[in-house]
Amino acid sequence: MAEKKRSFSDEELQDLVSSTDSGARAPRNRYVALLISGIALLWSLFQLWIAEPQFWFAGTADFMRIIGSDQTRPMHLTFALLLAFLAYPAFKSSPRHYVPVFDWILAITAAASAFYVFWFAREISNTARRARLIQWEVDWNILGWQIDTIYPQVIVGCVGLVLLLEASRRALGPALTIVGGAFLAYSYFGTGWLIPELIEHSGRSFSGIINTQWYDTNVGVFGIPLGVSTAFVFLFVLFGSLLDKAGAGNYFIKLAFAGLGHLRGGPAKAAVVGSGMTGLISGSSIANVVTTGTFTIPLMKRVGFTSEKAGAVEVASSVNGQIMPPVMGAAAFLMVEFVGISYLEVIKHAFIPAVISYIALIYIVHLEALKNDMPALGASRSLLQMFLKIFAGFAVAGVVFWGVIAGVGLLRDVAPAISEPVLLVVVLALYLAAIWVSAGRDDLEMDDPKSKDIKLPVMNEVFPTGLHFLLPILILVWFLMVERQSPAKSAFYAVSMMLFIIVTQRPLKAMFRQGGAILDETKAGFRDLIEGLIAGARNMIGIGVATAAAGIIVGTVTRTPIGTELAGLVEQLSFGHLFLMLVLVGVFSLILGLGLPTTANYIVVSSLMASVVVSLGAQEGLIVPLIAAHLFVFYFGIMADVTPPVGLASFAAAAVSGGDPIRTGFTAFFYSLRTVALPFLFIYNPALILYGIDLGTTEGLLQAGFVFVTATFAMLLFAAATQGYFLAPSYRLESAALLLVAFTFFVPNFWLDRVQPAFESHPPTSFEQVLERADPGDEIRLVLRGPDFTTGAERSLHIAHIIEGDGTGAERLEATGLLLIPEGDRMLMEEPMFGSPFDSEMQGFDFYDFDTPVELVSVQSEADRLPAQLFYIPALLLLALVVVLQRRRQTKPAF
């Protein structure tokens, strides 16, 4: 007998979101509820202060002094821990309507442990970070134990670590707590029957572990992950919360339905686009599912989607919201620190995979509608026309944007002294004009998706009502992409605009409508502001705790051999093949992601595996950019929210649809195969992430446009192949042919490499002559061989070197920092000069093994060969054959 399924009520869905994102506890005691809200409000205000204003007021008062990361990070964690124990019950059976006394004790103790690091930051910098401890001489006798000296820093750090792991268990589930505890145990013991011989070490002292994990701002709890959470992530989460509170979420959903609702399977297409836009608001895939899914899933079911497929579409689109620039998940900000590039570069590399992934998902939904002959809501429209309109809209917006850039540049050249005030007045005028236009229309109301009569919104009616919501997003994009400001500063200005909007939009509308109660609307605006600030802080609890707890793993990897040795184990399991190792890393990410949030999963796997992907690729002769390895891990971490048996986003969607969560998860995974395939593709073809393409030149822009068009075409064919439907239901051979065509368009170099080698080899003794003949911008590869520093086994390595500027061969050789020793036909090498381009890449070699020296085996220069795009011709002919075969069976329009 089939199990009876049910849809959850709105209250149950909100409880599901709060229990995972902001804490499920809602005390009935008014004073306790106000205290929790007040702490959250103070956290938001503190984060806004450290983001920028402290620099304006520095020196005016002692309490306005500038504080550094050694104090901001502990204060950030103080708020997170205090709220974690107050907002998250210990167990499902624990009371939610009041805070037990024990939780008060834990909250205060945990917060005090982090606050200790804030308050005694200067003393700690002079002791713990120099491996010295503050000690107190005492004369205590406790149960026969004579204690003469206590170390307060060790006690505080120990208590803090234990309570941090407990907070992570409450907020995120047991997985991160177990992993963090296991890493701490491994760090201390080093050896034991549970620890494989490969990663054994002598063990670290208890005080040494506490010093590393609780008092070091480079690694450990207060290291880079928590620093990113403090400096960047909080502001972006707050930005999203304020947008949502202002009403932007409903506006984006209405826009999506106005543009796509009339197409076949329109509600599903609108769910994809709406979820992509609400990704600006929510960094949580679960909140995204519930926010958009409560409206889109019932409508998808109405046009013919099953409960599981409707939920799966929502899951696939909501989870991908974390990869959509310009506002990506917290892991994107961590990439800035881990990879050492700007956030703008991260956006550049993530843009094409994210966009084509969403386009492909829209197409997948379209194919589902065709396969099942689903009707449209209202008069049917063409998908192709919709794509053309979107393209035209983007083209017009791009021209306007470039015009604004030119205008601002001209203003700054002509009148630099008054340019900033003029721009501020222009932004204010645009805002007032947008509010005036919005006030001329009724405010958007939330629709009831269960209503019998569905009236799809009209774009001309919806679009003007929320123009002012686009201003802070444009400000964010402007400062990130045009002004090239830091993510923190860009987010601060965007949040500042949102603070102004949320306070003023209501009274301004009332004033323009000439009849509203301006005073009442002003009060309502300030209520929205306070509620938005509180919601932003509560949404940050889990992220703050997760980044701090994940820092334990980073600290252990840094101070023990597990990073290098585990990497060696993965290399052994993959038999030295990069593709097999990528599969293992992907599976590892999925398994860890069953219990870890995306951010923590990314921190753990990237710390262990990202550099291994790069190094093993170099051994195979494939130069893998570090950003590609990090994006690979990021994509698979996101997929963990989809994958059964845990897949929290799938469970949330099933709660809305009333479908089976496991089947929903498997269907969502099937829809997300494009997201699984993309990381492998851009590892082997980095052009897909625009690596090595200069967008500041006309040639670079044209190349990027070509990559985007071909990648989109290939991804649509991939989607058609995996769905088993193109112009008509596909036979297996036709699907295989479509996959082959898609692969050729994604990685044409694969076929060319089979025909012509990419590089021409030269003897190592001719290195200087090769450098002499090379032109600026040419790539030269060096093949090295020598003993591994860790294992002593001989290994090879390929290193890419881009020629920069003019010069003789001798001058270019000196610029590399390589120290070469000719010995007959061989070219031996000494350790490269410190800080030279090859210094970090060659650290894995043992230059002090005199029996087996490191040597330059060969020098490779780019070979003259046919353009790889020639293979598009046979691919297109194969596609034409599939089209001819399917046209005979086609019964309905393909678009």
Side-chain angles (χ1 to χ4, degrees), residues 677 681 685 688 710-722 734-748 751 871-872 875-876 878-879:
L681 294 169
N685 183 13
L688 290 173
T710 55
T712 302
F713 179 67
M715 185 52 75
L716 293 179
L717 292 178
F718 179 84
T722 55
E734 291 173 337
S735 293
L738 291 175
L739 283 176
L740 186 60
V741 175
F743 177 77
T744 301
F745 271 83
F746 272 127
V747 195
W751 303 112
F871 288 91
Y872 290 167
L876 288 172
L878 181 59
L879 177 62

Side-chain angles (χ1 to χ4, degrees), residues 75-112:
M75 201 65 209
H76 181 82
L77 185 58
T78 298
F79 281 112
L81 289 174
L82 186 58
L83 288 171
F85 285 103
L86 295 180
Y88 287 89
F91 305 100
K92 289 184 179 180
S93 59
S94 298
R96 297 189 175 194
H97 300 300
Y98 68 92
V99 182
V101 174
F102 188 62
D103 282 0
W104 282 109
I105 295 172
L106 293 179
I108 294 170
T109 306

